[in-house]
Amino acid sequence: MWFLCVFYHRLLDYRKPEVESLAELFGAFGDVQNGEFCSREKSLEWRIPLYHHTDSPFHLVNIPSEHVARKIANRSILVKGMYELWGEGSSYEELKESILSYPDERKLPYLESNSTFKITVDTFGKAIGQQKQKELIQGLSYIPFKGRVNLKNPEHNFWLMDTDDYGANNGLPPIAKKRIFFGREVGGADRKLLPTYQLKSRTYLGPTAMDAEMAFLMANQALAAPGKLVYDPFVGTGSVLVAAAHFGAMTMGADIDIRVVRDGRGPDCNVWSNFKQYGLPMPIGLLRADNNLPPWRSGLKEVFDAIICDPPYGVRAGGRKSGGRKLLKGAVEPYIVPDDKRTDHIPSTAPYSLVECVHDLLDLAAKMLVMGGRLVFFYPVLREVDCIENHFPDHPCFKLIAVSEQILSYRYSRVLLTMEKTCPYTEEVAEAARIKHIEFRENHVKWLEEGNLHSAVFSHVDPQLTVAVDSKFSKDPKPKYRGKYV
């Protein structure tokens, strides 16, 4: 069943992956057969409306049922609305013909005399006044509405959406010719969610706290839902777990800095305070743990339904692992902390390169995720690289589901990688993963090793290379639209 999906004009790379993840969460693909996980391609069918660009907020999507479409739209962060499209056209005359030709059996149940309705006029690329909106609504008199108008709480919401034929001169995705849509709203995002969870009102924050919108997108990519257990091995102040808990998931986190997970800034300003602030279920545990030396007992496997994290890749914060430089180099012997000093002891740490961090993360996920569980994490990319897809980490246990890029500067971007576990973790898989890691490290040592990524992102550009760099990025296939969120 085809629906008109209208997105907010922001985070363009994240829009379709979020909808497809939610489609899986709500059973659009039927991936569980007889209680067994079934790994196969999970993708919805998409179409671009006539005369529109692929980056347009208007898309047509084929979803199995209105029930699934409504649940996707109501939970999504980037879907403005999902609509049963009654008609479209390049003029209001074409729109009238299209609406009149739409089957009566689909329209009449929503036009009955005992129902209430509301018509909203929306535009993209232009603004129109109240008087013009009123005239456009009156122009829809050929639709046999028999119910009563209710502007506050109608049973049925109808939308008239008008786009401007501004070509490519408006700082927005180009439109070759204007298009007008009319449809019945099936569902829409709750935009009160983000102001409620915005960071500036958060009780406990750190320098790398995840933006609320991005945290909720990550939770959607990970299919967070009631009954699922979500783990963040770099929990920090808990932003990602707050989003997962909002969707009903049980949460658990770990961090190498005991001062963050145990103390915070006092008894009323810590990770637990963030959950109390929103009335969310508390995490089942917050551990002082090292991703390089995980605390799980030998043989423990397949515990978590999802792992969501933002690894410390050395741009805003560097990674640390247990041991200390001297200990790791063998210059000193391992030591045992005396009992009288354990309360305030802060273990020594050493630098933790991104190559090693990503390898440990994939190994942890391969062991601890259930079959079909998802690993969702950010990964840095230097945009000078010709093909960024060749620089993503890989593991035999996982299939890459989605890649969503967020450009942060002309030189540097980060991508949200969504992976799905497709096979059990065995000794053979572990050995194959070790070989892949060696190849990955050798191919990326120039910019992924300790210190090099930070230097590459923030170092000055050679003036002699400025022309070449500008020429290279002028060929970037990603257009730059107005607004800072696209």
Side-chain angles (χ1 to χ4, degrees):
M1 186 175 180
W2 286 93
F3 295 90
L4 177 67
C5 180
V6 181
F7 291 106
Y8 287 99
H9 188 57
R10 59 203 296 125
L11 297 171
L12 305 186
D13 263 10
Y14 293 74
R15 301 182 305 185
K16 288 183 181 179
E18 185 199 22
V19 170
E20 295 191 345
S21 293
L22 294 177
E24 178 181 353
L25 177 64
F26 297 126
F29 303 117
D31 299 313
V32 177
Q33 298 178 358
N34 300 322
E36 304 247 342
F37 172 73
C38 177
S39 175
R40 63 181 182 83
E41 291 299 320
K42 302 162 186 175
S43 180
L44 297 172
E45 186 180 358
W46 296 85
R47 288 205 318 251
I48 304 298
L50 200 60
Y51 308 125
H52 277 246
H53 189 271
T54 53
D55 289 339
S56 165
F58 299 92
H59 285 68
L60 295 168
V61 59
N62 192 3
I63 298 176
S65 70
E66 181 176 319
H67 175 70
V68 173
R70 179 179 298 107
K71 296 182 77 171
I72 292 172
N74 290 346
R75 170 151 166 176
S76 171
I77 303 300
L78 296 178
V79 172
K80 185 177 182 180
M82 197 80 73
Y83 307 92
E84 179 192 4
L85 190 60
W86 284 18
E88 61 176 307
S90 296
S91 66
Y92 283 94
E93 290 75 19
E94 283 188 22
L95 177 67
K96 178 178 179 180
E97 293 177 6
S98 180
I99 293 175
L100 292 176
S101 64
Y102 193 69
D104 286 340
E105 61 269 19
R106 300 296 303 275
K107 293 186 295 188
L108 294 180
Y110 306 100
L111 305 176
E112 294 177 348
S113 58
N114 59 351
S115 65
T116 59
F117 72 96
K118 173 186 175 181
I119 300 176
T120 302
V121 177
D122 194 17
T123 60
F124 183 73
K126 65 177 181 179
I128 59 176
Q130 291 290 335
Q131 182 59 36
K132 179 62 174 177
Q133 292 184 34
K134 184 177 179 180
E135 293 174 1
L136 293 177
I137 292 174
Q138 291 173 344
L140 298 173
S141 58
Y142 53 85
I143 303 176
F145 290 106
K146 298 178 181 178
R148 294 177 293 104
V149 173
N150 185 333
L151 300 182
K152 290 186 177 181
N153 188 28
E155 294 179 54
H156 310 301
N157 281 296
F158 296 91
W159 287 72
L160 177 65
M161 291 161 278
D162 195 344
T163 60
D164 194 14
D165 51 351
Y166 51 76
N169 301 317
N170 203 20
L172 296 171
I175 294 177
K177 193 175 181 181
K178 73 177 297 179
R179 202 73 178 159
I180 310 164
F181 306 95
F182 180 83
R184 178 180 62 87
E185 182 183 284
V186 171
D190 178 13
R191 292 304 285 185
K192 295 180 181 178
L193 185 68
L194 299 184
T196 300
Y197 285 90
Q198 59 187 337
L199 291 185
K200 66 181 181 181
S201 62
R202 191 75 56 88
T203 299
Y204 180 44
L205 283 179
T208 58
M210 181 63 66
D211 172 71
E213 181 176 43
M214 197 60 70
F216 279 101
L217 284 172
M218 295 173 76
N220 278 341
Q221 289 293 96
L223 313 183
K228 293 191 175 184
L229 178 58
V230 175
Y231 178 64
D232 182 354
F234 311 100
V235 67
T237 58
S239 292
V240 170
L241 293 189
V242 165
H246 171 83
F247 291 131
M250 297 178 290
T251 59
M252 184 174 180
D255 202 283
I256 195 171
D257 191 344
I258 193 171
R259 295 167 295 184
V260 174
V261 295
R262 183 189 65 186
D263 304 325
R265 295 193 178 92
D268 298 320
C269 186
N270 50 44
V271 180
W272 305 98
S273 303
N274 288 339
F275 289 83
K276 291 179 183 177
Q277 178 181 355
Y278 302 113
L280 299 174
M282 294 293 168
I284 62 174
L286 293 176
L287 311 176
R288 188 280 172 190
D290 183 359
N291 190 55
N292 185 244
L293 296 170
W296 321 113
R297 69 175 185 269
S298 177
L300 184 64
K301 293 182 180 180
E302 300 192 355
V303 173
F304 304 117
D305 295 283
I307 294 177
I308 319 174
C309 61
D310 183 22
Y313 40 78
V315 178
R316 290 192 297 171
R320 307 294 295 180
K321 63 181 178 180
S322 300
R325 292 182 178 87
K326 292 182 179 180
L327 182 62
L328 293 176
K329 291 179 180 178
V332 296
E333 295 293 326
Y335 60 92
I336 298 176
V337 180
D339 290 340
D340 61 332
K341 295 183 178 179
R342 289 196 172 197
T343 302
D344 299 322
H345 176 72
I346 298 175
S348 58
T349 61
Y352 191 27
S353 70
L354 178 61
V355 173
E356 190 176 8
C357 176
V358 169
H359 170 74
D360 292 341
L361 176 62
L362 288 172
D363 191 63
L364 167 73
K367 287 181 182 177
M368 301 300 287
L369 281 177
V370 300
M371 287 295 296
R374 287 197 168 190
L375 170 62
V376 180
F377 66 103
F378 271 110
Y379 186 76
V381 170
L382 290 179
R383 301 182 65 226
E384 291 103 336
V385 177
D386 291 331
C387 183
I388 63 174
E389 287 80 3
N390 294 335
H391 292 257
F392 295 154
D394 191 15
H395 192 285
C397 273
F398 291 98
K399 177 174 66 175
L400 188 62
I401 297 294
V403 177
S404 305
E405 184 179 9
Q406 183 182 20
I407 298 174
L408 301 178
S409 71
Y410 78 92
R411 169 176 280 181
Y412 162 66
S413 66
R414 63 178 183 174
V415 292
L416 184 65
L417 301 180
T418 302
M419 297 180 170
E420 182 179 79
K421 184 175 177 181
T422 57
C423 69
Y425 185 84
T426 63
E427 293 184 3
E428 293 76 13
V429 166
E431 177 61 21
R434 187 186 67 82
I435 295 172
K436 281 182 175 289
H437 169 62
I438 293 173
E439 296 173 353
F440 176 73
R441 180 168 185 159
E442 290 175 349
N443 291 337
H444 303 78
V445 69
K446 291 182 181 179
W447 65 282
L448 283 181
E449 278 295 349
E450 178 186 343
N452 284 344
L453 180 61
H454 186 279
S455 301
V457 171
F458 291 105
S459 62
H460 293 291
V461 179
D462 187 340
Q464 296 179 353
L465 299 178
T466 302
V467 175
V469 171
D470 289 344
S471 174
K472 179 180 181 67
F473 287 101
S474 66
K475 300 176 183 177
D476 193 325
K478 293 182 180 296
K480 308 298 186 297
Y481 303 121
R482 71 183 188 193
K484 63 180 181 178
Y485 293 108
V486 299

